[in-house]
């Protein structure tokens, strides 16, 4: 008769309390995440001045929106004299990516943290904070994840504001190609953050996005980003669902 097995030891606790988790999030943000957002907002600030917007409008868009693609769309449509309704609709469409980020990240918080306070916390959600959190949450206890995310996201948000102001006043001293190129550092960081992802479905989606993006841009640049994400993501999902999972089931 087999002797009863001892209960498995709980996973090692990474943080002693929420305060430690919060400051750890801040420390993790001081590296690449904050630098990437800072550089992107420098480029946006320079773009604002180049197009004739004042420093207040440019900076407040960062403070209240904290979404670089949406800020660029806001600025471009304001330049063309679009109506407020059209601008609001276009900016909202660029923010649809936050839906998938929210439904994949926030359910990982502890049940006690899923309250009305999350409506304020979601303002700190950015591509960088989401990518780092998704990478780190598996090793953080659920009760400490929100504190870690707040530290990470808050520093990224706060560093973006002086980055915008600096870029605004640097405009004219740095070549325009360089300042505009800084805006693309953010998606590059996102791509490099997930170079070690294991699910093949995600890898396929990234590769298809890189291949189909230029094609859809040539066909219609205004909808190319949305179309690329929809088509590449759908194909990758179907391949993963219909082929890879079945193959894994047979091998298992």
């Amino acid at each position: 008769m087999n002797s009863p097995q001892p209960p498995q030891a709980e996973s090692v606790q990474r943080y002693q309390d929420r305060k430690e988790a919060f400051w750890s999030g801040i420390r993790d943000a001081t590296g690449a995440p904050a630098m990437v957002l800072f550089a992107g907002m420098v480029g946006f600030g320079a773009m604002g001045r180049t197009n004739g917007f004042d420093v207040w409008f440019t900076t407040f868009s960062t403070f209240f929106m904290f979404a670089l693609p949406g800020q660029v769309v806001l600025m471009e449509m304001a330049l063309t004299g679009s109506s407020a309704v059209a601008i609001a609709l276009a900016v909202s469409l660029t923010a649809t990516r936050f839906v998938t980020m929210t439904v994949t990240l926030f359910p990982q918080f502890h049940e006690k943290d899923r309250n009305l306070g999350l409506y304020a916390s979601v303002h700190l959600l950015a591509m960088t904070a989401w990518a780092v959190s998704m990478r780190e949450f598996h090793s953080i206890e659920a009760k400490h994840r929100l504190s870690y995310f707040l530290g990470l996201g808050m520093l990224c948000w706060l560093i973006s504001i002086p980055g915008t102001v600096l870029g605004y006043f640097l405009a004219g001293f740095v070549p325009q190609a360089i300042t505009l190129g800084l805006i693309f550092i953010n998606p590059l960081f996102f791509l490099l953050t997930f170079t070690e992802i294991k699910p093949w479905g995600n890898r396929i989606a990234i590769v298809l996005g890189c291949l189909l993006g230029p094609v859809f841009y040539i066909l219609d640049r205004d909808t190319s980003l949305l179309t690329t994400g929809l088509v590449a993501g759908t194909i990758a999902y179907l391949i993963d669902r219909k082929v890879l999972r079945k193959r894994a089931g047979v091998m298992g």
Side-chain angles (χ1 to χ4, degrees):
M1 182 176 179
N2 295 331
S3 59
Q5 296 294 326
Q8 293 183 349
E10 295 182 1
S11 57
V12 179
Q13 184 169 309
R14 182 168 172 178
Y15 304 116
Q16 297 299 321
D17 51 40
R18 290 176 179 264
K19 182 179 179 181
E20 183 181 357
F22 176 81
W23 285 106
S24 178
I26 289 181
R27 286 193 299 271
D28 287 352
T30 55
M35 292 176 60
V36 164
L37 277 171
F38 184 84
M41 292 303 177
V42 167
F44 175 74
M47 179 181 176
R49 183 172 183 178
T50 302
N51 288 286
F53 292 95
D54 60 47
V55 65
W56 297 108
F57 176 87
T58 306
T59 305
F60 281 160
S61 67
T62 297
F63 183 86
F64 289 110
M65 292 180 63
F66 188 44
L68 191 54
Q71 292 173 235
V72 173
V73 170
L74 169 67
M75 189 171 289
E76 290 183 343
M77 294 190 69
L79 283 172
T80 60
S82 301
S83 66
V85 175
I87 294 175
L89 179 60
V91 172
S92 298
L93 287 175
T94 66
T96 53
R97 69 190 186 281
F98 289 115
V99 176
T100 55
M101 291 184 187
T102 301
V103 298
T104 55
L105 183 68
F106 281 34
Q108 298 185 57
F109 293 148
H110 195 277
E111 291 183 2
K112 294 182 179 180
D113 293 325
R114 301 175 200 169
N115 48 45
L116 292 177
L118 289 182
Y119 285 96
S121 303
V122 76
H123 182 63
L124 303 177
L125 185 63
M127 186 182 297
T128 45
W130 178 83
V132 174
S133 296
M134 290 292 290
R135 187 185 63 193
E136 298 294 329
F137 271 11
H138 74 280
S139 62
I140 301 176
E141 289 186 317
K143 62 182 180 181
H144 293 151
R145 289 173 181 171
L146 178 59
S147 299
Y148 177 86
F149 169 77
L150 291 176
L152 177 69
M154 188 172 295
L155 182 62
C156 290
W157 174 51
L158 293 176
I159 200 67
S160 299
I161 299 168
T164 303
V165 176
L166 177 63
Y168 187 90
F169 290 107
L170 280 179
F173 297 96
V174 180
Q176 185 177 9
I178 295 178
T179 56
L180 294 179
L182 292 174
I183 297 177
F184 294 94
I185 294 180
N186 200 342
L188 179 61
F189 168 82
F190 175 80
L191 179 62
L192 294 177
T193 300
F194 281 86
T195 53
E196 298 179 0
I197 55 175
K198 295 181 180 180
W200 271 99
N202 294 348
R203 296 179 180 179
I204 294 172
I206 292 175
V207 172
L208 287 176
C210 293
L211 295 175
L212 296 177
V215 176
F216 287 120
Y217 181 83
I218 294 174
L219 296 177
D220 184 8
R221 65 179 185 179
D222 292 333
T223 61
S224 58
L225 184 61
L226 182 62
T227 307
T228 300
L230 179 62
V231 174
T234 301
I235 294 175
Y237 172 79
L238 293 175
I239 293 176
D240 179 60
R241 190 81 176 178
K242 302 296 184 181
V243 180
L244 299 180
R245 295 190 185 186
K246 288 185 177 180
R247 182 179 300 176
V250 173
M251 293 179 63

